[in-house]
Amino acid sequence: MDILRSFADAITRVLDRFYISSVRKDPESILYMKDPSLNVILALSERAPEFIPYIQGNYADKLTDDVKQAMVKINPNVIEWFPDDEKLTFHVLDHYCDKLSEENTITIVGKRPEAISYFPDASEAIQLAAVTKDPSTIVAISNPYPNVQVTAVQRDPELIKSIVDPCEEARLISVRKLGKYITDRRSHRARNACSSKR
């Protein structure tokens, strides 16, 4: 019995190597495999992650948390195909954020602006993605680009206080908006005072 089991295991390993080699040479070969092993799926995530939706659609039960973590260890940019998996996203941020493409970083920060703190040297596009979603995240950006400052201050002029050495345009917008707010409040109080005297 042990001999048969050993023989079956040896055949499985040989087939697994063959399938992995096949996927590395031609990723479309995954379409013709019946029940690919986890090693084949991992090889696919390295060679051709664009086939992950096929795996999700046909073998979703194989995509456990451990498998997805192994996939992002091989290629952190596979996070693109798991946009709503919070646990996996923060695993990638904690361990592989420096290996993410700018496009995937923008996607993550656009959905979770607080993630900007993982990217101290973020590009202007990444900073804008965060501040556009939540202007208050500008406080987590150590050196925001002028356009990012302007975007934040346009939405919340009080944020000018949180920006170290704000650009001239951001200052002017803040003064204009805060000045208008102060003028509006004074007018409102004056109107209320006049109506209460009647």
Side-chain angles (χ1 to χ4, degrees):
M1 207 55 158
D2 287 336
I3 294 172
L4 287 177
R5 180 176 292 223
S6 296
F7 184 68
D9 288 345
I11 289 175
T12 302
R13 284 193 301 274
V14 169
L15 281 174
D16 208 32
R17 283 192 216 123
F18 172 76
Y19 290 143
I20 290 169
S21 174
S22 179
V23 163
R24 286 187 175 145
K25 288 178 189 168
D26 179 16
E28 286 188 17
S29 65
I30 191 75
L31 302 174
Y32 307 105
M33 292 181 193
K34 185 175 182 177
D35 197 29
S37 72
L38 296 179
N39 290 328
V40 172
I41 292 171
L42 293 176
L44 185 70
S45 71
E46 178 181 22
R47 171 68 171 83
E50 63 273 13
F51 282 93
I52 290 173
Y54 172 78
I55 299 297
Q56 289 172 318
N58 295 287
Y59 306 104
D61 57 315
K62 292 189 176 218
L63 294 175
T64 64
D65 287 346
D66 290 339
V67 170
K68 290 189 277 187
Q69 285 186 5
M71 290 170 83
V72 296
K73 183 176 183 180
I74 293 168
N75 180 358
N77 287 299
V78 301
I79 192 66
E80 175 180 345
W81 286 278
F82 304 104
D84 298 323
D85 190 327
E86 292 286 321
K87 183 178 176 183
L88 186 64
T89 298
F90 283 101
H91 176 75
V92 169
L93 290 172
D94 286 338
H95 300 285
Y96 313 109
C97 67
D98 58 324
K99 295 180 178 131
L100 287 171
S101 69
E102 181 159 3
E103 182 179 308
N104 283 331
T105 304
I106 289 170
T107 301
I108 288 171
V109 170
K111 283 185 145 203
R112 300 164 191 86
E114 69 280 4
I116 191 69
S117 62
Y118 285 89
F119 306 97
D121 299 321
S123 69
E124 182 175 9
I126 294 169
Q127 290 181 7
L128 270 172
V131 170
T132 300
K133 180 80 172 181
D134 179 1
S136 68
T137 57
I138 197 160
V139 301
I141 302 172
S142 59
N143 193 10
Y145 287 88
N147 196 25
V148 175
Q149 295 176 27
V150 168
T151 300
V153 171
Q154 282 176 331
R155 300 217 14 234
D156 183 355
E158 292 282 336
L159 288 171
I160 196 73
K161 299 171 187 172
S162 304
I163 302 171
V164 176
D165 193 25
C167 69
E168 186 68 26
E169 188 177 355
R171 283 188 215 141
L172 291 173
I173 290 169
S174 178
V175 167
R176 251 184 263 127
K177 287 196 171 235
L178 288 174
K180 183 179 181 326
Y181 174 73
I182 291 168
T183 304
D184 288 349
R185 285 199 59 181
R186 285 184 182 155
S187 302
H188 181 70
R189 271 193 254 146
R191 270 186 261 129
N192 285 344
C194 290
S195 62
S196 65
K197 290 180 181 178
R198 291 183 195 162

